[in-house]
């Protein structure tokens, strides 16, 4: 069953409520992680927790717990839910305090939900998805997994209204990432993706794909590229915790090659599935 957690208490989701004077609610003053659980095991949990702690340090959020504490909490929540295939949303904010911009001297707030995993339609994996190109209007510190997601929401909504799955974000003429994904292209058997910087999130599935490429001897190239180069790619795909590895076959109405998922993308997806069940 779906369950909620807030500051030491497990609560049914329909009873979970956040006070109005909550920093995440009023300022977006917090961070989060989305973690996929397969067969009761949180996938790449250590990497998620490392990124969580990095984000906390970046916004000066005083977390007293370490990764092992969060690992125990997450495993306990999965056990209590009774779900074997689920998605965890973990959020940490600067706490409950009267609305003032300066940091309050109050305890941080930790909340979490555990819900059944929403599986993608198989047809999306078999046929691929479409995307639009959208100006990257986000702030300068996208490496922080913060709650400030309004530009992402607006870009994703624009994609949806145009019948597309994702918006590929572009800044200064170069592809950065998707609204909730990392973007890749394949050219002459090599996998290309935007280098890590403050402008993109260090995706966990992005890391998994890099590890897979190293294992199967596919060259993984961290190199910036333009939309025009994306159109000329042999394959394009996205990665995220919930989408895993997903082929993109059309961008702004233009087909990527033959408009069908490519062999490299398919192989990376299959290898990711093998990695999940190890």
């Amino acid at each position: 069953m779906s369950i909620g957690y807030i500051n030491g208490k497990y609560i049914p989701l329909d009873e979970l409520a956040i006070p109005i004077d909550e920093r995440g609610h009023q300022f977006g003053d917090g961070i989060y992680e989305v973690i996929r659980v397969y067969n009761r095991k949180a996938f790449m949990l250590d990497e998620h927790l490392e990124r969580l702690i990095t984000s906390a340090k970046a916004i000066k959020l005083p977390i007293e717990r370490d990764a092992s504490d969060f690992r125990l909490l997450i495993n306990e929540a999965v056990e209590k839910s009774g779900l074997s295939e689920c998605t965890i949303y973990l959020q940490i904010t600067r706490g409950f305090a009267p609305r003032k911009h300066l940091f309050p001297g109050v305890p941080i707030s930790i909340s979490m939900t555990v819900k059944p995993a929403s599986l993608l339609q198989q047809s999306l994996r078999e046929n691929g998805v479409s995307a639009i190109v959208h100006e990257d209007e986000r702030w300068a510190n996208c490496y922080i997994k913060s709650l400030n997601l309004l530009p992402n929401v607006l870009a994703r909504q624009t994609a949806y209204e145009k019948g597309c799955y994702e918006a590929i974000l572009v800044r200064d003429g170069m592809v950065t990432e998707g609204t909730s994904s990392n973007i890749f292209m394949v050219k002459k058997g090599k996998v290309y993706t935007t280098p890590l910087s403050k402008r993109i999130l260090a995706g966990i599935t992005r890391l998994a794909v890099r590890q897979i490429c190293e294992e199967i001897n596919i060259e993984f190239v961290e190199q910036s590229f333009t939309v025009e180069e994306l159109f000329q790619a042999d394959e394009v795909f996205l990665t995220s915790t919930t989408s895993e590895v997903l082929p993109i076959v059309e961008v702004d109405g233009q087909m990527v090659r033959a408009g069908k998922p490519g062999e490299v993308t398919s192989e990376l997806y299959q290898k990711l599935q093998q990695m999940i069940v190890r």
Side-chain angles (χ1 to χ4, degrees):
M1 64 176 179
S2 299
I3 61 171
Y5 168 95
I6 184 165
N7 299 326
K9 297 181 180 179
Y10 287 95
I11 302 173
L13 285 184
D14 57 0
E15 297 178 13
L16 189 62
I18 302 295
I20 191 67
D21 281 339
E22 204 276 337
R23 298 280 297 192
H25 171 69
Q26 295 187 331
F27 292 108
D29 187 3
I31 57 174
Y32 75 101
E33 284 290 329
V34 176
I35 304 163
R36 183 68 164 83
V37 174
Y38 300 90
N39 194 26
R40 295 183 179 272
K41 183 178 179 181
F43 181 61
M44 298 189 78
L45 181 55
D46 290 346
E47 290 79 2
H48 276 287
L49 295 178
E50 180 180 350
R51 187 173 65 181
L52 180 77
I53 292 170
T54 297
S55 294
K57 290 179 179 178
I59 68 167
K60 302 180 181 179
L61 192 63
I63 297 179
E64 295 181 356
R65 299 188 184 208
D66 60 19
S68 62
D69 294 326
F70 283 110
R71 191 178 300 110
L72 289 172
L73 175 62
I74 287 167
N75 290 335
E76 178 185 72
V78 172
E79 184 67 25
K80 285 183 176 294
S81 75
L83 298 170
S84 58
E85 303 290 324
C86 54
T87 301
I88 295 169
Y89 177 83
L90 175 63
Q91 176 174 295
I92 308 176
T93 75
R94 216 173 297 276
F96 309 142
R99 190 182 187 281
K100 295 181 180 180
H101 284 72
L102 294 178
F103 294 172
V106 299
I108 63 171
S109 177
I110 302 174
S111 57
M112 178 171 52
T113 61
V114 183
K115 298 180 181 180
S118 297
L119 302 180
L120 285 180
Q121 298 177 15
Q122 189 60 30
S123 60
L124 297 181
R125 298 206 181 280
E126 294 174 352
N127 302 323
V129 300
S130 58
I132 64 168
V133 172
H134 194 285
E135 186 68 22
D136 192 342
E137 300 171 333
R138 302 170 302 164
W139 71 325
N141 292 309
C142 298
Y143 76 102
I144 301 170
K145 201 166 177 66
S146 81
L147 303 180
N148 298 280
L149 296 174
L150 183 56
N152 306 60
V153 170
L154 293 174
R156 188 66 175 267
Q157 181 65 25
T158 300
Y160 172 78
E161 291 171 358
K162 293 184 177 181
C164 295
Y165 184 85
E166 177 63 296
I168 297 173
L169 304 178
V170 177
R171 186 181 303 212
D172 300 328
M174 310 302 290
V175 171
T176 51
E177 57 186 341
T179 64
S180 60
S181 64
N182 291 116
I183 302 297
F184 298 75
M185 69 175 187
V186 180
K187 190 75 172 177
K188 296 181 179 179
K190 299 179 182 180
V191 172
Y192 292 82
T193 195
T194 305
L196 293 179
S197 71
K198 288 188 174 183
R199 291 189 169 189
I200 74 166
L201 184 70
I204 302 304
T205 310
R206 177 189 187 279
L207 175 59
V209 165
R210 178 172 187 164
Q211 293 174 356
I212 292 168
C213 286
E214 291 172 352
E215 289 178 5
I216 62 178
N217 295 318
I218 291 178
E219 188 170 348
F220 187 93
V221 183
E222 294 186 280
Q223 176 179 305
S224 297
F225 50 86
T226 65
V227 176
E228 289 70 24
E229 289 174 308
L230 195 71
F231 287 140
Q232 296 169 6
D234 299 325
E235 303 174 35
V236 176
F237 64 92
L238 63 81
T239 64
S240 74
T241 292
T242 54
S243 296
E244 300 175 332
V245 174
L246 188 63
I248 298 174
V249 298
E250 180 183 300
V251 180
D252 272 357
Q254 296 189 44
M255 294 294 181
V256 177
R257 287 298 184 176
K260 297 180 181 179
E263 293 180 0
V264 173
T265 303
S266 298
E267 181 177 13
L268 291 173
Y269 173 71
Q270 293 301 326
K271 292 295 183 182
L272 179 65
Q273 298 311 299
Q274 295 173 17
M275 185 177 181
I276 287 167
V277 299
R278 286 177 189 168

